């Protein structure tokens, strides 16, 4: 309406050095065994250098035509399983574990654990930091945690009064469930084609997934994320 002619780029999963989608899986591996939705979901991955090239190409083209929107993608189609497996190769402290789980089981786990309440608590983390500065707050939190452990384990003992093995969590490998916000993305089989970006602004991805992950793992080793 004001005579602008912008180029809008819809970027997919950008991975590589300093990327959320590369540091996030490594954080999950440190927490335990990563669970992913089964079914061969497609990860629309693009290496960060290609993403930057697309932005540069779009900025140089902006203003030469009317407003336009371009989908941007990498040169390869990879599954989320392979995406996580390639990141897992950088895990040095202990072997990273990945397990594929039916989407229905993940949704059932969400319903059981009330993710809406969990998300509300997560969004209140800044307020929680302020509360923790109150004298005695940390002692009270420690006491409440002890009470929770007692209540959690009550009724889970066998005849000898010990916890049944099936109810005991493995301390080194707890299950790490996918974030509710990522489930539909990880279960989707949609693929992106950047024909419009190639024909209009002249962008074509040049970094293969194998090359991008080799560079990403080198950065992880340097940043000690493994």
């Amino acid at each position: 309406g004001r005579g602008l002619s912008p180029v809008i780029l819809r970027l997919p999963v950008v991975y590589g050095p300093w990327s959320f989608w590369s540091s996030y899986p490594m954080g999950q591996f440190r927490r335990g065994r990563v669970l992913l939705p089964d079914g061969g979901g497609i990860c629309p991955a693009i290496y960060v250098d290609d993403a930057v090239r697309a932005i540069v190409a779009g900025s140089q083209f902006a203003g030469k035509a009317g407003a336009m929107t371009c989908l941007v993608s990498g040169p390869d189609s990879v599954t989320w399983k392979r995406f996580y497996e390639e990141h897992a190769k950088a895990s040095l402290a202990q072997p990273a574990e990945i397990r594929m789980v039916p989407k229905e089981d993940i949704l059932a786990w969400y319903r059981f654990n009330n993710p809406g309440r969990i998300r509300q608590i997560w969004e209140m983390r800044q307020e929680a930091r302020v509360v923790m500065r109150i004298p005695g707050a940390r002692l009270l939190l420690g006491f409440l945690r002890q009470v929770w452990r007692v209540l959690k384990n009550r009724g889970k003992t066998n005849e000898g009064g010990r916890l049944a093995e099936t109810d005991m969590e493995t301390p080194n490998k707890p299950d790490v469930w996918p974030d509710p916000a990522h489930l539909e993305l990880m279960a989707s089989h949609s693929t992106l084609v950047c024909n419009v970006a190639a024909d209009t602004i002249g962008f074509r991805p040049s970094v293969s997934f194998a090359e991008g992950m080799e560079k990403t793992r080198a950065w992880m080793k340097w940043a000690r994320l493994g």
Side-chain angles (χ1 to χ4, degrees):
R2 298 184 181 182
L4 299 179
S5 299
V7 173
I8 302 169
L9 301 179
R10 298 191 182 276
L11 297 175
V13 174
V14 180
Y15 72 96
W18 286 280
S19 164
F20 165 82
W21 280 112
S22 284
S23 58
Y24 179 68
M26 301 309 295
Q28 289 182 297
F29 288 137
R30 284 194 294 269
R31 289 162 51 198
R33 179 176 56 180
V34 175
L35 306 184
L36 298 176
D38 199 358
I42 300 298
C43 174
I46 185 172
Y47 186 65
V48 60
D49 286 7
D50 273 341
V52 172
R53 292 189 187 101
I55 294 172
V56 172
S59 65
Q60 292 175 343
F61 185 84
K64 297 181 181 179
M68 60 177 300
T69 301
C70 299
L71 294 177
V72 178
S73 66
D76 305 317
S77 178
V78 300
T79 63
W80 278 101
K81 185 175 185 291
R82 185 186 173 197
F83 183 81
Y84 267 76
E85 286 176 343
E86 292 299 316
H87 281 80
K89 293 179 180 179
S91 182
L92 304 177
Q94 57 182 348
E97 293 187 18
I98 303 171
R99 185 164 70 93
M100 309 307 293
V101 180
K103 180 181 176 181
E104 294 73 17
D105 292 352
I106 298 177
L107 291 173
W109 185 86
Y110 287 163
R111 289 191 294 268
F112 180 78
N113 288 274
N114 193 1
R117 181 65 61 184
I118 295 175
R119 183 169 296 279
Q120 290 177 10
I121 295 175
W122 169 253
E123 292 172 350
M124 293 173 59
R125 61 192 184 280
Q126 294 294 347
E127 290 81 354
R129 292 192 182 102
V130 176
V131 173
M132 285 298 101
R133 296 181 184 142
I134 301 176
R138 293 188 180 277
L139 292 176
L140 177 60
L141 179 60
F143 171 75
L144 293 176
R145 283 175 176 170
Q146 292 179 358
V147 172
W148 166 247
R149 292 191 189 101
V150 173
L151 294 176
K152 181 179 179 181
N153 294 330
R154 178 175 295 176
K156 291 187 177 182
T157 57
N158 54 23
E159 294 180 358
R162 300 175 60 185
L163 284 173
E165 292 183 1
T166 55
D167 294 324
M168 295 177 65
E169 295 182 357
T170 304
N172 296 327
K173 289 292 181 180
D175 287 336
V176 180
W177 295 81
D179 188 292
H182 301 159
L183 180 60
E184 294 303 326
L185 173 65
M186 291 181 169
S188 173
H189 288 79
S190 299
T191 56
L192 300 179
V193 180
C194 58
N195 292 338
V196 174
D199 297 339
T200 306
I201 66 176
F203 166 74
R204 289 175 175 82
S206 60
V207 182
S208 67
F209 182 68
E211 179 186 357
M213 281 309 309
E214 184 177 353
K215 295 180 178 181
T216 300
R217 287 191 293 268
W219 166 72
M220 288 178 177
K221 182 178 180 180
W222 172 82
R224 299 182 179 180
L225 290 182

